[in-house]
Amino acid sequence: MRDIYLLGATGSIGTQVCDIIRAHPEVFNLVTATAHTNIKQLREVINQFHPEYVSVGTHEAKRELQELFPNQEIGVGETGLIKAATYEGSDGLLVNAVVGSAGLMPTYQAVLKGRDIALANKETLVIGGDIIMPLVREKRISLLPIDSEHSALMMCLKNEPKESVTSLIITASGGSFRDKTRAELTGVTVQDALLHPNWSMGAKITIDSATMMNKGFEIIEAHHLFDVPYNRIQAVLHQESIVHGLVEFNDGSMLAHMGHPDMRVPINIALFYPKRIPYQAQQLDLTTLKKLQFDRVSTKRYPLFKLAIEAGKTGGITPTILNAANEVAVMLFLNGKITFLQIEEIVLECLNKFKQTKSLTIEYILETDEVVKDYVHKQYS
Ligand code: NDP
Ligand code: MG
């Protein structure tokens, strides 16, 4: 049995992780689970898996839950998240499916504890990759991606000598507005933005896909995960979302990982690695595919894609500024406070306004995250 510590159990990834745990009761034991506000969904998780410890975002949510489960141990906020991530036990796996920078600290503490990690929370690596990955290597733990493109790259890189790898390529569907020109983005609605053509995901990543910030984040994520320089990682538009990642080798050949878009495939890979386990995914019938298209990503059409890669290359605190501004801007857009195009204006404004003042530490990342988020809230809420 493998113990699972699941952060973000109520989200899009978290509920799919729960389904997989439920399908393999002889393999996994859910020991801790967290939610932020969705008490209804967390109730289901408690009733089904009886975790030893759960945690929620607010004291009010805790009170509500405690009334329903008087004997359940319940934590709150960041302390609760960290406790859930580092909960006692030795051979377990942290599955971090929280959204946003809130995922960094629990990952960091779990790494310090020497716990293996399956990571959906890409923001951890976007803002903290320079600190997390050297620690992962020092502690000799495994940190496996759940993100589909990185899972695909990992499978293509498996058993290949590093020196034969020429470049990494990830694909982008183009998001909900891929058929619109920039001029047509003026006045688009939240509902339109949430209609992703190929994937069903949480609200924040769906908006990040529409702005293509997500693909910029994923280039930073790939850089940290696979220790490959930025000039050897690229993204291509691929509207069918069948090929998820490709690795190019020095003999001119490429390996690609393909399949219908289904996050349970990369989640299964991360949970069972290095084994592949049977899963009834929709079969890929090559004869009905007809064509797979690949195009360049236009940085004029998707300025946040470019800004993210530049922030990654600059490194230090810059990705934290980018991420914090984006996180609040996306939330304000979802709440109808700003327009879609203002997301990129706000990110650009913050990148110009805030600068690195000291060397990178976890504390400095958290402090900057808070300062930038406060600024955007005050200016635009
Ligand atoms: P969701 O919004 O669906 O779920 C987010 C989860 O995190 C929920 O359980 C939510 O709790 C919890 N949460 C939200 N805010 C906080 C906070 N401040 N502190 C602690 N917990 C919080 O997101 P997704 O599942 O879509 O995404 C999760 C992560 O996985 C993201 O980093 C995303 O980029 C990444 N990812 C997602 C993919 C997908 O297909 N969805 C694909 C690839 C990567 P509650 O529900 O109670 O509010
Ligand atoms: Mg992805």
Side-chain angles (χ1 to χ4, degrees):
M1 287 289 268
R2 186 146 208 216
D3 287 346
I4 301 287
Y5 311 91
L6 175 57
L7 311 187
T10 50
S12 163
I13 295 288
T15 47
Q16 294 179 82
V17 171
C18 285
D19 291 344
I20 290 171
I21 297 175
R22 193 179 307 110
H24 300 278
E26 72 296 350
V27 181
F28 300 117
N29 175 31
L30 187 73
V31 179
T32 67
T34 77
H36 196 52
T37 51
N38 191 344
I39 299 308
K40 193 163 167 255
Q41 184 65 30
L42 188 59
R43 263 169 60 182
E44 300 282 316
V45 173
I46 296 174
N47 281 328
Q48 283 185 26
F49 299 101
H50 310 289
E52 290 174 29
Y53 179 80
V54 299
S55 186
V56 291
T58 64
H59 288 280
E60 195 186 331
K62 176 180 167 164
R63 265 194 301 278
E64 202 180 313
L65 201 62
Q66 197 79 74
E67 273 178 30
L68 297 164
F69 301 97
N71 300 322
Q72 176 74 52
E73 194 187 352
I74 306 173
V76 184
E78 191 184 54
T79 321
L81 265 187
I82 292 172
K83 182 163 176 183
T86 58
Y87 200 75
E88 64 208 51
S90 55
D91 193 27
L93 178 72
L94 164 65
V95 183
N96 188 343
V98 158
V99 64
S101 60
L104 175 65
M105 224 22 201
T107 312
Y108 176 68
Q109 295 294 342
V111 173
L112 287 181
K113 191 182 161 80
R115 175 157 286 164
D116 288 341
I117 298 170
L119 190 69
N121 179 258
K122 65 188 79 181
E123 294 89 346
T124 285
L125 292 180
V126 169
I127 67 180
D130 282 328
I131 291 171
I132 297 286
M133 290 314 294
L135 268 178
V136 164
R137 290 179 193 119
E138 186 190 315
K139 298 270 178 190
R140 295 174 183 276
I141 56 174
S142 91
L143 185 148
L144 304 179
I146 286 182
D147 216 346
S148 56
E149 297 77 0
H150 306 75
S151 176
L153 291 177
M154 176 175 80
M155 297 314 271
C156 295
L157 288 165
K158 207 175 164 189
N159 307 324
E160 296 287 351
K162 201 169 178 219
E163 59 275 15
S164 341
V165 175
T166 316
S167 67
L168 308 181
I169 304 167
I170 56 175
T171 62
S173 69
S176 40
F177 299 138
R178 68 181 179 202
D179 299 325
K180 289 194 189 303
T181 62
R182 265 191 80 74
E184 288 168 338
L185 294 177
T186 311
V188 289
T189 66
V190 174
Q191 284 82 345
D192 292 340
L194 287 175
L195 290 176
H196 194 285
N198 302 350
W199 298 92
S200 162
M201 310 181 284
K204 195 236 171 200
I205 186 175
T206 305
I207 305 304
D208 285 346
S209 300
T211 62
M212 209 62 111
M213 176 65 101
N214 182 52
K215 215 44 61 178
F217 281 169
E218 290 185 352
I219 292 212
I220 303 177
E221 187 185 3
H223 163 75
H224 289 298
L225 275 171
F226 304 112
D227 195 22
V228 169
Y230 283 102
N231 61 3
R232 297 206 277 120
I233 310 172
Q234 48 167 314
V236 292
L237 275 174
H238 168 51
Q239 59 172 271
E240 294 85 5
S241 292
I242 295 293
V243 179
H244 307 297
L246 308 95
V247 175
E248 188 185 22
F249 297 96
N250 57 3
D251 62 357
S253 63
M254 280 186 177
L255 282 179
H257 203 259
M258 300 163 69
H260 284 290
D262 179 349
M263 283 310 294
R264 284 160 209 252
V265 174
I267 297 172
N268 271 322
I269 288 175
L271 262 56
F272 286 92
Y273 195 86
K275 283 191 212 149
R276 267 192 200 270
I277 54 121
Y279 164 64
Q280 302 254 304
Q282 186 192 344
Q283 284 236 295
L284 195 57
D285 179 353
L286 292 174
T287 61
T288 60
L289 278 178
K290 301 299 178 213
K291 63 176 177 184
L292 297 174
Q293 306 173 74
F294 300 94
D295 284 303
R296 248 173 234 295
V297 180
S298 158
T299 49
K300 277 208 179 88
R301 171 66 182 75
Y302 296 107
L304 284 181
F305 172 68
K306 185 170 175 226
L307 276 183
I309 297 172
E310 283 171 1
K313 286 181 180 167
T314 306
I317 204 68
T318 311
T320 301
I321 300 167
L322 171 99
N323 179 71
N326 181 66
E327 228 175 285
V328 181
V330 169
M331 198 198 73
L332 293 175
F333 170 67
L334 287 168
N335 293 337
K337 304 267 190 211
I338 62 167
T339 65
F340 182 73
L341 287 172
Q342 272 182 291
I343 299 173
E344 59 194 47
E345 287 172 23
I346 291 172
V347 172
L348 189 58
E349 180 188 338
C350 289
L351 284 170
N352 287 328
K353 182 176 172 58
F354 296 97
K355 297 285 171 226
Q356 177 139 2
T357 55
K358 45 187 166 180
S359 54
L360 199 69
T361 59
I362 280 284
E363 294 74 23
Y364 182 38
I365 292 176
L366 296 176
E367 184 187 307
T368 306
D369 180 67
E370 201 177 320
V371 169
V372 175
K373 285 181 176 174
D374 276 356
Y375 171 79
V376 181
H377 270 300
K378 286 202 179 101
Q379 294 292 313
Y380 296 95
S381 290

